[in-house]
């Protein structure tokens, strides 16, 4: 799709960091408040989609290629399954929540309105899934927008 | 005009509609699931989510700890979709 | 506790996790080099097959490798905790002989596929994503075959569907493959959504998602009847049982052959899931006739399944005889083969009845039919897989799959011709290959149950032979056609991929009793005594 | 010493018979030998590369290779003709319409519901 | 009876989606029908987990052991199912784009194989 007017670009420039911060907040507090990796990742991906709509797919494709995004997604997925494998290593069961009560990071038991340093590997998994969802959804949107743009241009 | 296909289709759609209506009528009352719950999985989760997983958010504890393997599959589904879309819009020439 | 026992204890999780990790790593490794990536993928699949072999050996021998993990031929694995508490909140894998049997099938096919792909996909672009999706298909198929959790089964079903649809459309410059992929994704997503609806019905009633727990506490209320209907119909849709089979020949025929071999495994996974739902989740009401059932559920169900099976066999064979495209023809033959399995198992279900002493039993003919059907699952996977690999070799060499244009390829492609002959003998049930043994069991038992079924099955098997004789004549025999005068034998890796399956076919054909006694009989017994599975959790 | 072969040599027993590929192979070899001996009694006057090996199409010249090869769709033509009544229905079933495929699913769902749920 | 109105909404959504898949001829409408079925199933899952006058299943300072919470498992299942639906939708739409490139139409009756 082609790029839009200057007003849209300016507004999206202003709104982009706010949406980004909110999405990262949702990811980071997934184990305390409503939300989590998927939801926050969807929020951030929608911010990236807003930039895509404002600036056009050609410009965005110049800035970032979809192969880099898929590499990011692979990293996120490897982090997620790697945490599960670490559970197999340390907790002797696949998907064991091995950080809980170990005295390391995120090791506290959540009680009442508790702080972020709880719930063992859950926040880490939230971050991994968040990275994965951001990269994945943005890659899907970017590739499809670019392809439809080429289709409208008539060159297959 | 009603072709034979449409008549047959409408008839069996009525049968399926009957199926779903019976399902809707015989499901437990909306808002009162306790009646028909035999092993109470959810109350166990709500009571023990803080002690077992340390998370205050029971949904997150289900998504990432109790049923974390489903979430792995879910992430895999998204990964699969991205790989498939990129495969479909690839360049054919080397 | 030594290393091997630990490996066996964790093998149910590793069988799924290793291909997934390999799939996530493949795009990174593909950055290095193509050859490195291919070797890596083959290693990953080989590791998976090795783990499956360990698990199956441990299950069939009831704990020869790690005794503490297995109790009466069932190995359970709980994710995230040592044991599944009460209530069963966590996801558990419960591997009995039937799961292990299906997993063995799923161990053979992807290995042959990836070895075959090395040369078959050499000139294509996007090989990183291709191998990634192959590994994801393998993981999803194995998950479908091993899982003991309803919702988890749905998730793996969707993984398999999406990866398969993306791979069917691999040749995006051919319009037929794209439209076949679209039909496949529509059909499979609808089937999966109805499966999810049935799972939600179970959850709303029993507040459980574990198959064993649901099967233990099932009461066969109206909602359970509806869930049974939805499960059987949608899984039959996914399996490609007539008259819902039309997507299958298009999907099989238009996908690259190395992909089709794996799609066969996923289809059989759906078939396995249907058997599991009927025999285990609804086992109480299939087997406890005397107490609960006013109307005889097994007879109704068996008659329905047998009717569908006969329709499937006839439609598949007749349409296969008519086709003019090689791969679509083999696809219709695959439909007919699925019909044979369903015929055997449906007639086995229909023979469940009360004997004079008031105990529910399956007659000996029914047990033989069940054994034959389960044995035929293995044979069908191998035979049709080999035929599709041969068809892919023909396409690779001649760039043509239309039976009206091909001819005289046997003069240049000797090994391929030999492999095709092996597949022909096996799939049409000629002695001495494996298809004959299973079809013999099916014919005998169905003849004892109802002669008409057996006669129809035998006649359709003869037509199947005629179909493949037509293929053999019009592709491999005949004079040397100038257009194909300079085709060459396919590269080594494709021959190795075909040889892997052919050797297993010949082995099973020469020693059928070995397989039936050691693998098939435990699997059928695992289906029949549902109590062990329900007691596993 | 060879007892490890025992599971390999067991015979597959079915209800009304048995199936053993090894025995079948022996029988096949014997029958093949008999057939080969009978073939030896055949006509001795056959010579390679003489007129009697040429194709004789009632004096007409021989066709080219493409025409001599029978195309796949020409095989079983009579069977197709006899079964035309069935093939017409089948071809109507196999129109590539996605909606029809899903409609067949709906029909099967309804039939299963009528038989299993209502009855 | 009056309590089961949400389930009737579920049935209506699924039937409308199935109707769109079977009787509509535009591929985009077929895709919309599948997403309708999927949202119906998700609605069914999420309605199964609702308890009357309950709060979200999150332990905060205000909640005690007595606080009635809605069931957490259906919400997790619905989350998974939604993400799966997004993936299926993305793949289906990209396939529709390719079909339009090849056939030049979205009429489902023309999207078929003609065996030569």
């Amino acid at each position: 799709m082609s790029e839009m007017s200057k007003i849209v670009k300016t507004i999206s420039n202003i709104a982009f960091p706010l949406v980004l911060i909110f999405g990262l907040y949702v990811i980071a507090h997934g184990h305390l408040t409503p939300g989590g990796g998927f939801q926050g990742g969807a929020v951030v991906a929608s911010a990236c989609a807003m930039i895509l709509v404002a600036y056009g797919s050609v410009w965005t494709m110049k800035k970032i290629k979809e192969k880099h995004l898929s590499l990011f997604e692979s990293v996120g997925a490897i982090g997620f399954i790697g945490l599960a494998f670490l559970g197999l290593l340390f907790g002797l069961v696949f998907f064991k929540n091995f950080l809980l009560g170990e005295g390391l990071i995120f090791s506290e038991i959540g009680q009442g309105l508790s702080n972020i340093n709880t719930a063992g590997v859950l926040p880490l998994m939230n971050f991994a899934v968040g990275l994965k969802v951001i990269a994945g959804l943005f890659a899907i949107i970017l590739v499809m927008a670019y392809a439809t743009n080429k289709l409208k241009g008539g060159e297959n | 005009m009603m072709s034979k296909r449409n008549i047959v289709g409408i008839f069996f759609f009525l049968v399926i509609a009957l199926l779903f209506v019976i399902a809707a009528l015989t499901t437990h009352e909306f808002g009162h699931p306790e009646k028909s719950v035999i092993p109470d999985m959810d109350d166990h989760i709500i009571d023990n989510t803080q002690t077992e997983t340390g998370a205050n958010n029971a949904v997150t504890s289900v998504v990432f700890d109790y049923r974390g393997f489903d979430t792995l599959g879910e992430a895999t589904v998204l990964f699969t979709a991205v790989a498939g879309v990129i495969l479909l819009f690839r360049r054919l020439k080397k | 506790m030594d290393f091997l026992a630990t490996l066996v204890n964790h093998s149910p999780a590793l069988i799924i996790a290793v291909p997934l990790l390999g799939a996530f790593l493949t795009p990174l490794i593909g950055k290095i080099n193509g050859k490195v990536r291919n070797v890596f993928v083959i290693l990953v699949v080989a590791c998976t097959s090795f783990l499956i072999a360990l698990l199956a050996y441990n299950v069939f021998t009831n704990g020869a490798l790690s005794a503490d993990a297995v109790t009466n031929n069932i190995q359970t694995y709980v994710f995230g905790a040592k044991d599944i508490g009460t209530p069963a909140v966590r996801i558990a894998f419960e591997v009995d002989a039937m799961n292990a049997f299906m997993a063995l099938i799923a161990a053979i096919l992807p290995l042959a596929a990836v070895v075959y792909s090395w040369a078959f996909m050499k000139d294509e672009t996007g090989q990183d994503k291709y191998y990634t999706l192959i590994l994801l298909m393998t993981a999803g198929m194995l998950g479908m075959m091993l899982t003991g959790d309803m919702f988890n089964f749905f998730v793996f079903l969707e993984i398999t569907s999406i990866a398969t649809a993306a791979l069917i459309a691999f040749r995006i410059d051919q319009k037929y493959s794209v439209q076949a992929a679209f039909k496949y994704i529509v059909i499979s997503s609808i089937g999966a959504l109805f499966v999810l609806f049935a799972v939600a019905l179970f959850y709303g009633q029993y507040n459980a998602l574990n198959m064993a727990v649901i099967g233990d506490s099932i009461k066969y209320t109206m909602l359970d009847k509806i869930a049974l209907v939805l499960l059987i119909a949608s899984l039959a849709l996914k399996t490609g049982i007539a008259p819902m089979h039309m997507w299958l020949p298009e999907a099989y025929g238009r996908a690259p052959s190395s992909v089709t071999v794996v799609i066969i495994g996923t289809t059989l996974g759906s078939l396995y899931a249907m058997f599991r739902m009927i025999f285990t989740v609804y086992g109480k009401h299939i087997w406890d006739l005397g107490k609960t059932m006013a109307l005889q559920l097994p007879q109704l169900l068996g008659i329905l399944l047998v009717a569908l099976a006969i329709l499937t066999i006839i439609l598949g064979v007749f349409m296969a005889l008519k086709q003019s495209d090689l791969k679509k023809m083999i696809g219709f033959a695959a439909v007919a083969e699925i019909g044979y399995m369903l015929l055997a198992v449906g007639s086995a279900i229909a023979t469940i009845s009360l004997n004079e002493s008031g105990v529910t039993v399956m007659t000996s003919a029914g047990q033989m039919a069940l054994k034959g059907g389960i044995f035929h699952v293995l044979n069908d996977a191998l035979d049709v897989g080999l035929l599709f690999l041969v068809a892919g070799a023909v396409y690779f060499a001649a760039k043509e799959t239309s039976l009206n244009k091909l001819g005289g390829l046997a003069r240049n492609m000797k090994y391929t011709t030999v492999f095709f002959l092996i597949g022909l003998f096996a799939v049409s049930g000629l002695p001495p290959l494996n298809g004959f043994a299973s079809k013999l069991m099916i014919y005998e038992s169905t003849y004892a149950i109802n002669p008409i079924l057996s006669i129809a099955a035998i006649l359709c098997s003869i037509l199947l032979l005629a179909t493949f004789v037509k293929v053999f004549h019009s592709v491999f025999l005949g004079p040397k056609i100038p257009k194909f005068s300079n085709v060459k034998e396919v590269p080594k890796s494709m021959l190795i991929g075909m040889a892997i399956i052919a050797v297993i076919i010949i082995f099973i054909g020469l020693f059928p009793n070995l397989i039936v006694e050691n693998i098939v009989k435990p699997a059928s017994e695992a289906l029949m005594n549902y109590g062990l599975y329900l007691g596993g959790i | 010493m060879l007892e490890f072969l025992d599971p390999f040599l067991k015979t597959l027993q079915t209800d009304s018979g048995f199936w053993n590929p090894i025995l079948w192979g022996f029988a096949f070899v014997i029958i093949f030998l008999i057939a080969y001996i009978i073939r030896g009694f055949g006509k001795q006057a056959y010579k390679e590369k003489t007129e009697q090996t040429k194709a004789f199409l009632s004096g007409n010249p021989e066709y080219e290779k493409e025409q001599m090869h029978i195309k796949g769709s020409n095989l079983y033509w009579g069977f197709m003709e006899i079964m035309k009544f069935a093939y017409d229905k089948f071809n109507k079933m196999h129109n590539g319409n996605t909606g029809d495929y899903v409609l067949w699913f709906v029909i099967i769902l309804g039939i299963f519901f009528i038989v299993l749920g209502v009855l | 009876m009056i309590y089961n109105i949400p389930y009737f909404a579920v049935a209506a959504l699924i039937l409308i989606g199935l109707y769109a898949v079977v009787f509509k001829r535009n591929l985009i409408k077929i895709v919309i029908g599948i997403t309708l079925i999927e949202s119906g199933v998700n609605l069914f899952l999420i309605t199964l987990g609702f308890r009357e006058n309950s709060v979200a299943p999150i332990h905060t300072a205000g909640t005690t052991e007595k606080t009635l919470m809605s069931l957490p498992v259906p919400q997790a299942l619905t989350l998974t199912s939604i993400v799966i639906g997004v993936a299926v939708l993305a793949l289906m739409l990209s396939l529709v784009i390719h079909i339009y490139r090849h056939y030049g139409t979205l009429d489902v009756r023309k999207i078929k194989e003609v065996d030569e």
Side-chain angles (χ1 to χ4, degrees), chain B residues 30-32 43 46 56 58 88, chain E residues 3 22 51-52 57 59 73 98:
Chain B
F30 175 61
H32 301 280
D43 282 342
I46 290 174
N56 288 345
L88 286 184
Chain E
Y3 273 103
V22 173
R51 278 183 193 158
E52 209 161 20
H59 293 278
V73 173
H98 272 291

Side-chain angles (χ1 to χ4, degrees), chain B residues 19-20 22 26 28 36-42 65 67 69-70 73 76-77 79-80 84 87-88 90-92, chain C residues 20 87 89-91 93 125 132 136 149 151-152 156 159 162 169-170 172-173 194 203-207 223:
Chain B
L19 184 148
F20 281 111
I22 291 175
T26 47
H28 61 73
S36 53
V37 169
I38 295 136
D40 205 341
M41 174 164 73
D42 294 279
D65 189 304
R67 303 190 68 82
F69 198 61
D70 275 349
T76 311
V77 166
F79 186 81
T80 314
L87 179 77
L88 286 184
R90 74 188 193 274
R91 283 185 190 74
L92 279 174
Chain C
L20 279 184
V89 289
R90 295 183 181 272
I91 294 175
F93 275 15
T125 58
T132 309
L136 289 172
D149 188 280
F151 189 78
N152 200 356
F156 280 116
I159 292 175
I162 296 172
F170 183 78
I172 51 177
D173 52 343
F194 277 91
Y203 176 81
Q205 272 186 300
Y206 307 116
N207 196 351
L223 282 181

Side-chain angles (χ1 to χ4, degrees), chain C residues 69-133:
Chain C
V70 180
T71 57
N72 51 36
N73 289 80
I74 294 179
Q75 176 167 355
T76 59
Y77 189 87
V78 183
F79 287 90
K82 283 293 172 204
D83 57 348
I84 187 161
T86 52
V89 289
R90 295 183 181 272
I91 294 175
F93 275 15
E94 194 169 359
V95 184
D96 68 355
M98 186 64 197
N99 302 77
F101 175 78
M102 297 304 294
L104 280 176
I105 295 174
I108 299 165
L109 297 177
L111 189 58
V114 289
V115 174
Y116 185 90
S117 306
W118 186 309
F120 187 66
M121 286 289 158
K122 196 150 54 353
D123 308 331
E124 306 280 350
T125 58
Q127 288 190 52
D128 292 353
K129 298 299 175 196
Y130 167 81
Y131 281 110
T132 309
L133 289 169

Side-chain angles (χ1 to χ4, degrees), chain E residues 27 96 99-108 110-111:
Chain E
L27 290 185
V96 169
I99 286 177
Y100 187 75
R101 277 184 186 174
H102 283 302
Y103 288 82
T105 175
L106 289 178
D107 188 347
V108 74
K110 298 189 177 57
I111 312 296

